[in-house]
Amino acid sequence: MKKGQSLLHDRTRDAQGRPIAYLRLSVTDRCNCRCAYCMPAAGVPMLAHDDICSFEELARITAACCELGVRKVRLTGGEPLVRRGLPDLVRMLREVPGVEELALTTNATLLAPVAAELAAAGLDRVNVSLDSLRPERYARLTRGGRLPDALAGIEAALAAGLGPLKLNCVLMGGVNDDEVADVAGIARERPVDVRFIELMPIGEAARWSRSRFVPAEAVLAALPELEPVAGSGRDGVAELFSAPGWAGRVGLIRPMSHRFCAGCTRIRVTADGRLKPCLHSADEVSLRGLEGGALREAILAAIALKPAHHGMDGAHASESARAMNEIGG
Ligand code: SAM
Ligand code: SF4
């Protein structure tokens, strides 16, 4: 269902009064990469096939969330493109009443061959994770990913009209922070948002030295020509900057140095059907096997658990019992 169609219900609000409008749906915990901050090199025990929600269950959960006010849905993972038949899921979700925006977050290494099919199935946009523009470093960081594949995926997404395209780069001190100007430079030439994300102490990164956690302020120091974008200067959780003559924009996502929980409108569902009201809390509510009113009640119960803010700081890691590849970011 596209924009402009009548809303189903008023938006559900959490205990803090925040409207819940955005569902991040993890379609798999598997991944073809092993990014150093996200997954252990040897991988993790994967969910059994039966533990993963079917496309029908994912569509049912999405429909119930939309009945409660969700309008934006993002497919994530693990790597969502390793889930077989993803275009079929896109087609199913496109038919769900209330879905106004359907997006995908991907490492893009498997995207090129399916970008046009995903667009034809009804996908609106993609966000691509891209932490380095140096082929060897990219391969080392992702433990096996090939930069040319990711770049081909980005070009295919642009050609298929899966924009506005956003590129996400996690800033890591002593790892890729010397590439800020190069990665941001993509936005100088192309009409994309290049967003720098502060590393969060979750997943593998929870055990990393604090010296790896670089405030996104470093991007502004590396690129003094950047100025705040006029208007709200924001796009969701990203603060936007640009410079005269640049085709695109640079975004800063600062969960650590500038907590944005007060404006959080998100809920997340893991590939095994558990609703997480906050990325960083241990609370989850299982939605497996539920339908109709029972499903809606379970979603409302989970939303009621959404905390006012996360508790991560220099001394405290995420309280999530799950790693990022299980939740989807
Ligand atoms: N595989 C897809 C991808 O990489 O885009 C989707 C899933 S991935 C878990 C979603 C996002 O989480 C990616 O942009 C990744 O960089 C980010 N991420 C994973 N671990 C992170 C961490 N510790 N801190 C900040 N971002 C993280
Ligand atoms: Fe896979 Fe994405 Fe995690 Fe990298 S960040 S290991 S691509 S799920």
Side-chain angles (χ1 to χ4, degrees), residues 73-227:
V73 178
R74 174 173 299 283
L75 304 179
T76 177
E79 172 49 47
L81 292 175
V82 305
R83 177 101 188 232
R84 207 172 304 148
L86 197 71
D88 295 332
L89 178 65
V90 168
R91 263 184 289 276
M92 289 167 71
L93 296 185
R94 191 76 266 178
E95 294 303 314
V96 170
V99 174
E100 292 180 358
E101 185 180 335
L102 187 55
L104 171 77
T105 292
T106 173
N107 62 37
T109 55
L110 304 170
L111 182 58
V114 287
E117 190 185 355
L118 288 168
L123 188 72
D124 292 316
R125 314 184 23 250
V126 298
N127 285 4
V128 174
S129 303
L130 186 70
D131 297 331
S132 175
L133 286 174
R134 301 186 190 172
E136 282 170 21
R137 182 181 282 178
Y138 183 91
R140 208 169 45 245
L141 259 175
T142 58
R143 299 197 185 102
R146 291 186 65 251
L147 181 65
D149 293 343
L151 297 179
I154 290 169
E155 292 305 330
L158 286 168
L162 290 170
L165 194 77
K166 296 175 187 172
L167 302 181
N168 292 333
C169 177
V170 176
L171 270 175
M172 290 165 275
V175 177
N176 68 350
D177 54 343
D178 54 345
E179 283 191 70
V180 164
D182 291 344
V183 177
I186 300 174
R188 195 191 304 261
E189 312 297 333
R190 312 290 295 268
V192 300
D193 283 359
V194 176
R195 309 178 330 157
F196 292 93
I197 303 176
E198 288 177 348
L199 180 68
M200 296 180 284
I202 183 171
E204 287 302 286
R207 289 179 282 278
W208 282 19
S209 148
R210 289 291 175 259
S211 63
R212 299 277 183 245
F213 293 77
V214 181
E217 209 75 16
V219 173
L220 302 181
L223 293 159
E225 65 268 47
L226 288 178
E227 294 162 5

